[in-house]
Amino acid sequence: MSESPREPALAVRDLRKSFGGVKAVDGVELIVAPGEFVSIIGPNGSGKTTTVNLVSGVLRPDAGRVEVDGLRLRPGSQEAAAAAGIARTFQNGRVFGSLTVRENVEIGLHTTVTAARPLRSLARFPVLRWLPLLAETVLALVPTPAVRAERRATAALVDAQLARFPERLVPRADNHAYTLSYANRRRTEIARALALRPRVLLLDEPAAGMNQTETAEVGRQLAELKAAGQTIVLVEHKLDLVNALSDRVIVLDEGRVIAEGTPEQIQNDERVIEAYLGRRRLRAAGGPRRTTAEKVIVGAE
């Protein structure tokens, strides 16, 4: 008897979002299997980051749904997405400059804290919102054995994520984030996302602004995560990184999926070249025959 197919780690179905008269995301479908590495690419303004914002609950979709392991998420709720196991980084790095590297990573564990936040479910009710705040304040001042044990476990998890960057973050664990280089701020953000031990990790241009050496280092770390079975959705403009890591590539243009397949298949898809260079330039290049510039854009050279 054959085994039943596994539930997708992430299922995005008919996702739509408009801003005024602009359809930023127009019926996007995305199915990601457990342990799969999927990249989303496309020209500027194609809807990549908006799609990630919808999946992670930063934005509320106009239509469609997001599921993790078959569980439908509450639309537009970052807390629900995090509780379901979705963690992410942002296109423009977001770290708290006045906090240390260690404290920035610890924030990634906020949805897993239970002993120190015993009444957090009441925070949804405006009349009762003061009760969880009061309980958390009391436990911060007079921690119970359970709270102390949870703090030790949290510290161990933070150390484990910092250890992914032994030369970059470990020596700077107690430094304030504002003192870090740009690349180390991005690494701190990745470590914070991983602290959640996410079911699905969303990375929005993690190598943006990095030089070639730094990009190669990020590529090695992502390859290690992939080898460990981490489910990853990557948005990235550096297509050599995309081609080296991806099991599948999704190409967006004007909010729609225009191509999907392996990196090799995408490299040979004329629709992708048209999306990046435009129909007029494609014709000027002699139709399907590719110029050097076209090869670079699709990562074929």
Side-chain angles (χ1 to χ4, degrees), residues 14 25 28 41 48 50 57 66 68 71 115 127 129 139 151 165 177 187 202 205 211 219 227 253 257 260 280 284 289:
D14 195 29
V25 174
V28 167
I41 68 171
K48 304 182 298 297
T50 302
V66 178
V68 175
L71 174 66
V127 177
R129 193 169 293 170
L139 290 172
R151 287 177 180 174
F165 308 89
R187 294 182 182 103
L202 307 177
E205 298 193 38
N211 60 35
D253 188 33
V257 176
E260 177 178 352
R280 185 175 301 174
R289 185 176 179 180

Side-chain angles (χ1 to χ4, degrees), residues 168 213-225 241 245:
R168 305 295 185 178
T213 300
E214 293 165 339
T215 298
E217 183 178 340
V218 168
R220 290 192 296 272
Q221 288 156 347
L222 294 182
E224 291 173 0
L225 289 173
L241 195 65
L245 294 169

Side-chain angles (χ1 to χ4, degrees), residues 244-255:
L245 294 169
S246 304
D247 297 311
R248 282 188 300 125
V249 180
I250 310 293
V251 186
L252 296 184
D253 188 33
E254 297 182 344

Side-chain angles (χ1 to χ4, degrees), residues 19-273:
F19 298 99
V22 178
K23 294 182 179 180
V25 174
D26 189 7
V28 167
E29 301 267 346
L30 174 63
I31 305 296
V32 184
E36 190 176 20
F37 195 120
V38 176
S39 291
I40 302 175
I41 68 171
N44 289 332
S46 60
K48 304 182 298 297
T49 292
T50 302
T51 296
V52 171
N53 286 340
L54 292 169
V55 171
S56 60
V58 174
L59 294 175
R60 184 183 180 90
D62 298 330
R65 64 185 189 271
V66 178
E67 301 172 356
V68 175
D69 292 332
L71 174 66
R72 185 170 182 173
L73 303 187
R74 187 166 74 252
S77 172
Q78 296 181 69
E79 184 175 2
I86 292 179
R88 67 163 298 179
T89 64
F90 290 83
Q91 184 178 16
N92 300 313
R94 297 186 184 182
V95 295
F96 298 92
S98 61
L99 300 182
T100 67
V101 172
R102 186 184 303 278
E103 290 167 340
N104 267 279
V105 176
E106 186 175 343
I107 288 175
L109 293 164
H110 72 285
T111 59
T112 68
V113 173
T114 56
R117 301 176 64 194
L119 303 176
R120 62 180 179 178
S121 62
L122 299 180
R124 291 179 294 173
F125 305 102
V127 177
L128 303 176
R129 193 169 293 170
W130 62 273
L131 283 173
L133 294 174
L134 177 61
E136 290 172 31
T137 301
V138 171
L139 290 172
L141 296 173
V142 188
T144 64
V147 171
R148 290 195 292 270
E150 189 173 64
R151 287 177 180 174
R152 290 192 294 271
T154 296
L157 286 172
V158 170
D159 287 340
Q161 299 312 320
L162 292 176
R164 295 181 185 273
F165 308 89
E167 298 178 359
R168 305 295 185 178
L169 296 186
V170 170
R172 301 170 176 83
D174 296 316
N175 293 1
H176 288 95
Y178 73 83
T179 67
L180 300 179
S181 67
Y182 175 81
N184 280 333
R185 293 186 189 187
R186 299 307 297 258
R187 294 182 182 103
T188 299
E189 193 177 10
I190 293 172
R192 183 175 64 203
L194 289 170
L196 185 61
R197 292 179 291 183
R199 185 75 175 100
V200 180
L201 178 62
L202 307 177
L203 300 173
D204 194 355
E205 298 193 38
M210 293 187 179
N211 60 35
Q212 189 173 1
T213 300
E214 293 165 339
T215 298
E217 183 178 340
V218 168
R220 290 192 296 272
Q221 288 156 347
L222 294 182
E224 291 173 0
L225 289 173
K226 177 181 177 179
Q230 175 68 58
T231 305
I232 298 174
V233 176
L234 172 71
V235 172
E236 185 56 70
H237 279 294
K238 296 184 178 181
L239 298 179
D240 52 348
L241 195 65
V242 169
N243 292 334
L245 294 169
S246 304
D247 297 311
R248 282 188 300 125
V249 180
I250 310 293
V251 186
L252 296 184
D253 188 33
E254 297 182 344
R256 296 181 178 181
V257 176
I258 62 167
E260 177 178 352
T262 65
E264 183 178 1
Q265 290 170 332
I266 294 302
Q267 289 170 15
N268 292 286
D269 194 314
E270 297 300 335
R271 293 170 298 179
V272 179
I273 298 174

